[in-house]
Amino acid sequence: WEPEGQAAAATVAAAPTEVILSGPRTFSVDWVIKEYEDMEADVGDTIEFFYAPFHNLFIHPSNDCKKKDRILISRPADRFGSYTFTPEDAGTQVTFTCDISNGEHCRAGQILHVFVSPLAEEEPEEEEEMVVLATDIVIEAVEEPASTTTAAPLPEQFGADFVELSCPSRLKESHDIDDRATMYYALVPPQPADAKNGILCVRIEDEGTDPNNWMGFGVSSVPHEVANSEAVIGVPLNEGDDAVLKYDVEEEDIGPLVSPMRKRKQTLRNASIDMVSNPANGRYLLSEMSFSKFIDEAGETNIEPQGTSYFYYARGRSPEIGEHY
């Protein structure tokens, strides 16, 4: 799908161009709906994508339009995305796609395959022993606390020496909830390890809901169970601090009863719910809910840094919290 007035421009888009510099190269791509020829690159080269705000940019490990384990590079509002090829890419194919309209743009040809040249083999110097050291990946906390949209309280068990951690600038992990919604996330573990300041950073993009309808993300201690759990629910028509809140989900005879937690339990950071539309014609594209949540809070289901946690998602059938699918 391409907005009216854009299709003609898409058919005459320029091919990817190469800017030759000393050392690593930079490739520029006019990212539109068209068929792309395969490219070749080396480790250290960078590819840049320029596009209108009704496209996005993903890497597909499947090397086709299947979205399994896809990696987000940039969103429609970014209008630009770039990627620098790493030693891990050497000798492989890296596939870039646009996944707008549930992958319709990709299937229409907006997919680019880049073959990354293998690294040259280096011969070890004589009489030297090669030593491989195993290292751990550590997510470091920043000195400044994460910015927040509200003056949200801290969880009740946190003391004066509490250090607040920040979400990474890009949420690299993703999970396809269904064929219309994707959750992007990062889990920042506690620091130090015995602290309770770990956070789960979440952004959910949903192309299958009405822009005014609510979105809900829940944490449960039991698989496939919603009752007696906690949920983060975003209601677009609610204003300000009430747009995205934490709710208790309790079991009742007529079904789960949802009620907002008391004010001192509203500890979400960077919480928002937004509608993303095409600025060219105002047409709705998707709804986006973002927040970060502490993984260990008194009286709530813990989210395990290592192990299994159970989550659920619901999209409302109306702006009022209630019936969903």
Side-chain angles (χ1 to χ4, degrees), residues 7-239:
T11 60
V12 296
T17 59
E18 176 184 344
V19 180
I20 300 178
L21 303 172
S22 58
R25 298 168 295 175
T26 298
F27 301 92
S28 295
V29 178
D30 185 16
W31 195 226
V32 297
I33 299 178
K34 63 182 287 285
E35 292 188 359
Y36 291 86
E37 295 183 359
D38 295 345
M39 296 176 56
E40 294 183 357
D42 297 322
V43 171
D45 290 348
T46 297
I47 187 166
E48 298 179 339
F49 295 80
F50 299 85
Y51 55 85
F54 37 81
H55 297 295
N56 58 24
L57 182 64
F58 285 85
I59 290 176
H60 277 205
S62 63
N63 291 323
D64 55 24
C65 293
K66 296 183 180 69
K67 298 191 292 183
K68 180 177 175 57
D69 298 326
R70 63 180 180 171
I71 302 167
L72 175 70
I73 302 299
S74 55
R75 296 177 291 169
D78 297 330
R79 302 188 181 210
F80 171 81
S82 67
Y83 182 78
T84 299
F85 299 100
T86 68
E88 289 73 20
D89 299 322
T92 70
Q93 174 179 282
V94 180
T95 299
F96 300 91
T97 74
C98 174
D99 284 356
I100 288 294
S101 298
N102 195 29
E104 184 176 333
H105 286 197
C106 178
R107 293 188 292 273
Q110 199 169 358
I111 179 171
L112 173 62
H113 303 290
V114 180
F115 295 89
V116 185
S117 302
L119 292 172
E121 294 185 4
E122 297 183 3
E123 296 184 2
E125 297 182 8
E126 294 183 1
E127 298 181 358
E128 286 191 3
E129 181 181 358
M130 182 177 294
V131 180
V132 179
L133 300 178
T135 59
D136 293 328
I137 298 175
V138 178
I139 302 175
E140 297 183 354
V142 296
E143 294 182 359
E144 297 182 1
S147 59
T148 62
T149 55
T150 69
L154 291 174
E156 297 171 350
Q157 74 272 25
F158 289 176
D161 58 347
F162 166 75
V163 176
E164 187 164 352
L165 305 181
S166 297
C167 292
S169 58
R170 177 176 295 170
L171 304 182
K172 296 182 179 180
E173 301 294 331
S174 66
H175 174 75
D176 289 330
I177 298 170
D178 56 24
D179 61 352
R180 306 306 300 274
T182 300
M183 180 179 88
Y184 303 92
Y185 66 95
L187 198 152
V188 182
Q191 297 177 26
D194 59 350
K196 296 180 179 292
N197 59 350
I199 53 175
L200 176 68
C201 309
V202 174
R203 185 181 74 254
I204 298 174
E205 296 182 359
D206 193 340
E207 301 177 27
T209 185
D210 184 275
N212 293 322
N213 291 358
W214 61 271
M215 302 167 62
F217 170 87
V219 184
S220 177
S221 60
V222 181
H224 312 298
E225 287 288 339
V226 173
N228 303 317
S229 65
E230 301 86 38
V232 176
I233 299 178
V235 183
L237 296 186
N238 288 354
E239 296 182 355

